[in-house]
Amino acid sequence: MANKLNNFDAVVVGAGFSGLYMLYRLREAGFSTRVFEAGEGVGGTWYWNRYPGARCDSESIYYNYTFSEELYKEWTWSSRYPEQPEILKYLNFVADKFKLRPDIQFKTRITGAQYDEDQNNWQIQLDDGTTVTAKYFITGVGCLSAANLPNFKGLENFKGERYHTGHWPHEKVDFTGKRVGIIGTGSSGVQAIPVIAEEAGHLTVFQRTPQYSAPARNHPYAPEYIRQSKENFNEIKKQMRESQGGQPVPIPTKSALEVSKEERERVYNDAWENGGLGIFSSYYDITINEAANETAAEFIRSKICEIVKKPEMAQKLLPSYYYGTKRPIIDTNYYETFNRDNVSLVDVKSSPIVEITQKGIKTTEAEYELDAIVLATGFDGMTGPLLKMDIRGKDGVSLKEKWMGGAQTRTYLGVAKAGFPNFFMITGPESPSVLSNMPVSIEQHVEWIGDCIEYLRENGMETIEANVDAEEAWSQHCREVAEATLFTKTDSWYTGANIPGKPRRFLIYLGGVGAYRQKCDEIAEKGYEGFTMKPSKKPVP
Ligand code: NA7
């Protein structure tokens, strides 16, 4: 620790994209700020998710900070979808450039935080037994940082190696010649499977839900393209901030159903050949109209049948849920990997896993002997990382109690919570978060929170707290927007359905990042409408 203070203006949880920028923003404004981070280094998601094949699925030139033009111009990405080590290097570069490390305490987990109504501050417990205090308590924990370790019978009995994609070892894991089993075919599994298959003696994929995936078509960036993106920094930044999803992609204006079959096929084919998430944003009604959705779903299914040579294998890989209502995936050779002789596929929906034995994985049909098991089973998303800490607001009531374990999750703008004064969540539940290009949504929240805290100081305010009615109205608006889409009709981590017993709630604001930013700005301009502020007892300096 650079200093021995234990009383700060602000304490921030996590040193990923959110925590690093929040620290910089508050420190620039003159607030004493301390970040606590469980890992040994910066990076958050990109520190923990080191599994083979881990890479970004937003284009790199948009998957970075834009708060500093100098930073944007100093850093050069190697390719369209860089791998995890490069993104981690970028975040280390940011930490070094802005000299952030002295204000970050690593290897320290925040276990709880209570609001002290007498002192008007937060009492924050660290896992080393220390308590620190802060006027503002801000979470930058990410939406996907609480790993989902399914409660498989006998998991502890397995004699081989066991890994979770979200907590991958820092040293290289060598699968050469080994019999590897992987459970899970979400983004992590789909990225890891082709890479592990190249090394393993045999890879058995345990699939519960087949996925729609499109080729990433990653490629190195041409120097001219990089030069142009740097030159157009201001325009790119503006477009990202005003967009639907945080990338400068035009908002689709056509319905998939108003064009001819031939035109649709051409558009989908072009998107497929171009790589990335183009199919998802081809038409405005893909995620709201079942028939429109089916056109995209059927297109991808036809591609799977084209790529996978064995018809029986292809059949098992065909998804049937509404395309895009689970996180759309992009891949490098995912379906092609199932043409390899050393890869087999087990459908654990029709024959579920009953037990992990000493030797491997047992389903209702067979036992698969393995040397290593990879759990690519995802995360307790959105609320999971927040509820891992014991956060208590006024009257000692916890966030868990307020949200009734997730059955009544309500926030104001996804950034604040009634009953929890001076508490802010970066990309919290009911903000655009994971259905946007994360750095854009993170920057917007950090800037909004930073401005709010400066406003409080300038106006001699001691506390700010969301009002219950404003929160209820926002939450209802979020639910109404979501209910008009197909997202709520699919079981996914978006809805919490991946965690047994977790109440089903769709906690992402789907109104688009541009419209959301405008709403947040309007609220600030109206003197933080929907919030109650209490003046400081001390005279304003
Ligand atoms: P995901 O997308 O939640 O995927 C988890 C996968 O694990 C998915 O295929 C699940 O099947 C499967 N799963 C989870 N629990 C089980 C059990 N008990 N048995 C069998 N299979 C299971 O997590 P990822 O880490 O891949 O991606 C998370 C996000 O990170 C991603 O969306 C990006 O935003 C980055 P299911 O589909 O639930 O049937």
Side-chain angles (χ1 to χ4, degrees):
M1 253 166 97
N3 67 49
K4 298 278 181 223
L5 275 182
N6 65 359
N7 180 20
F8 304 94
D9 290 326
V11 157
V12 180
V13 197
F17 264 100
S18 302
L20 292 179
Y21 183 31
M22 193 76 249
L23 167 60
Y24 174 76
R25 174 71 181 73
L26 290 177
R27 218 176 54 179
E28 287 294 289
F31 294 102
S32 66
T33 307
R34 170 60 44 94
V35 173
F36 293 95
E37 164 58 54
E40 289 183 21
V42 302
T45 288
W46 298 106
Y47 175 87
W48 298 107
N49 284 263
R50 297 164 180 258
Y51 57 85
R55 63 171 78 237
C56 185
D57 53 14
S58 288
E59 288 205 34
S60 58
I61 56 164
Y62 312 129
Y63 192 81
N64 43 210
Y65 294 115
T66 54
F67 69 85
S68 161
E69 185 168 358
E70 189 180 283
L71 167 66
Y72 192 85
K73 291 186 172 169
E74 271 175 15
W75 181 263
T76 299
W77 292 106
S78 67
S79 68
R80 187 181 186 190
Y81 299 113
E83 286 192 83
Q84 172 269 342
E86 190 173 342
I87 304 169
L88 189 59
K89 202 169 154 198
Y90 169 72
L91 289 167
N92 275 282
F93 177 79
V94 172
D96 290 335
K97 176 175 170 63
F98 297 111
K99 301 189 174 48
L100 300 175
R101 288 177 214 280
D103 294 310
I104 306 173
Q105 185 171 322
F106 294 103
K107 293 195 273 182
T108 310
R109 198 174 278 282
I110 289 180
T111 54
Q114 291 84 43
Y115 186 68
D116 181 330
E117 288 174 67
D118 295 328
Q119 302 293 323
N120 280 335
N121 67 12
W122 283 89
Q123 306 274 325
I124 298 151
Q125 284 80 46
L126 314 178
D127 62 355
D128 64 4
T130 320
T131 297
V132 298
T133 58
K135 189 164 179 185
Y136 304 103
F137 180 55
I138 305 168
T139 57
V141 289
C143 303
L144 294 163
S145 55
N148 170 35
L149 193 65
N151 190 18
F152 292 122
K153 184 180 162 207
L155 189 58
E156 299 308 320
N157 299 337
F158 181 59
K159 294 272 187 238
E161 304 156 47
R162 194 183 84 196
Y163 307 98
H164 190 287
T165 46
H167 287 282
W168 202 259
H170 286 212
E171 57 284 359
K172 154 112 181 104
V173 175
D174 188 4
F175 289 123
T176 311
K178 291 183 182 159
R179 296 164 304 173
V180 182
I182 183 165
I183 304 174
T185 52
S187 303
S188 306
V190 166
Q191 288 186 336
I193 285 164
V195 183
I196 297 177
E198 284 192 4
E199 199 175 88
H202 191 90
L203 177 66
T204 309
V205 178
F206 295 85
Q207 169 195 269
R208 189 163 68 181
T209 308
Q211 293 278 7
Y212 299 97
S213 183
R217 308 219 190 275
N218 185 39
H219 54 74
Y221 275 144
E224 179 55 19
Y225 184 74
I226 290 283
R227 194 193 59 73
Q228 276 178 16
S229 78
K230 290 186 180 183
E231 208 163 86
N232 293 335
F233 168 78
N234 286 315
E235 185 52 29
I236 289 177
K237 175 175 174 174
K238 183 172 177 288
Q239 284 180 19
M240 280 161 69
R241 290 178 169 221
E242 290 172 0
S243 69
Q244 173 77 15
Q247 302 207 37
V249 177
I251 297 176
T253 51
K254 280 189 184 172
S255 159
L257 304 176
E258 74 179 70
V259 298
S260 66
K261 187 167 186 292
E262 291 69 34
E263 180 176 341
R264 220 169 33 224
E265 291 288 304
R266 188 185 50 73
V267 167
Y268 289 154
N269 245 316
D270 286 352
W272 183 270
E273 291 309 319
N274 189 34
L277 292 170
I279 295 177
F280 185 68
S281 51
S282 299
Y283 298 105
Y284 74 80
D285 51 358
I286 285 184
T287 53
I288 55 177
N289 178 297
E290 292 178 18
N293 188 278
E294 179 57 18
T295 63
E298 188 45 34
F299 174 81
I300 298 182
R301 286 194 287 260
S302 72
K303 287 289 180 190
I304 299 171
C305 291
E306 239 173 75
I307 297 169
V308 181
K309 302 287 173 242
K310 290 175 237 158
E312 200 190 316
M313 180 79 100
Q315 277 304 312
K316 277 202 233 172
L317 287 165
L318 295 184
S320 58
Y321 65 89
Y322 294 120
Y323 164 68
T325 55
K326 279 176 184 274
R327 176 67 140 72
I329 302 176
I330 59 173
D331 71 89
T332 303
N333 294 331
Y334 176 61
Y335 297 119
E336 289 82 349
T337 296
F338 293 92
N339 291 329
R340 295 176 66 106
D341 292 335
N342 71 333
V343 174
S344 49
L345 179 63
V346 177
D347 174 0
V348 295
K349 191 154 256 167
S350 62
S351 49
I353 296 170
V354 285
E355 186 180 356
I356 309 290
T357 64
Q358 290 191 3
K359 291 185 195 160
I361 297 176
K362 196 170 165 186
T363 69
T364 49
E365 278 189 353
E367 182 172 356
Y368 300 85
E369 291 193 12
L370 302 164
D371 303 308
I373 295 177
V374 175
L375 297 164
T377 46
F379 301 89
D380 179 359
M382 319 304 296
T383 51
L386 292 164
L387 296 181
K388 257 168 74 174
M389 294 175 284
D390 183 22
I391 302 175
R392 291 177 183 270
K394 282 162 56 178
D395 302 320
V397 181
S398 72
L399 205 51
K400 200 176 204 159
E401 288 160 338
K402 277 268 176 194
W403 286 348
M404 294 172 70
Q408 288 295 329
T409 305
R410 302 271 190 278
T411 71
Y412 187 31
L413 302 173
V415 81
K417 171 75 204 143
F420 292 71
N422 292 358
F423 169 60
F424 299 98
M425 296 166 284
I426 304 171
T427 66
E430 300 182 330
S431 71
S433 71
V434 291
L435 272 160
S436 71
N437 181 23
M438 284 303 272
V440 177
S441 289
I442 287 168
E443 284 192 324
Q444 187 251 332
H445 267 186
V446 166
E447 286 160 15
W448 192 92
I449 294 166
D451 289 349
C452 176
I453 292 177
E454 281 195 82
Y455 177 95
L456 297 173
R457 178 174 63 185
E458 280 157 22
N459 290 278
M461 293 293 165
E462 186 76 6
T463 60
I464 186 163
E465 181 188 340
N467 298 340
V468 174
D469 54 349
E471 180 173 281
E472 189 49 53
W474 176 255
S475 192
Q476 192 179 334
H477 172 58
C478 279
R479 290 195 298 276
E480 280 167 8
V481 176
E483 283 303 331
T485 71
L486 300 171
F487 281 101
T488 54
K489 299 183 171 52
T490 297
D491 283 348
S492 67
W493 63 258
Y494 290 153
T495 58
N498 63 329
I499 304 297
K502 184 171 177 175
R504 213 172 185 287
R505 287 260 164 226
F506 188 83
L507 297 173
I508 306 156
Y509 180 56
L510 291 175
V513 303
Y516 173 78
R517 175 185 295 272
Q518 222 176 342
K519 176 79 187 156
C520 291
D521 288 350
E522 276 166 26
I523 285 170
E525 277 155 24
K526 289 182 191 161
Y528 295 91
E529 188 181 50
F531 288 90
T532 298
M533 288 180 238
K534 290 207 178 121
S536 169
K537 288 177 199 121
K538 292 174 225 146
V540 186

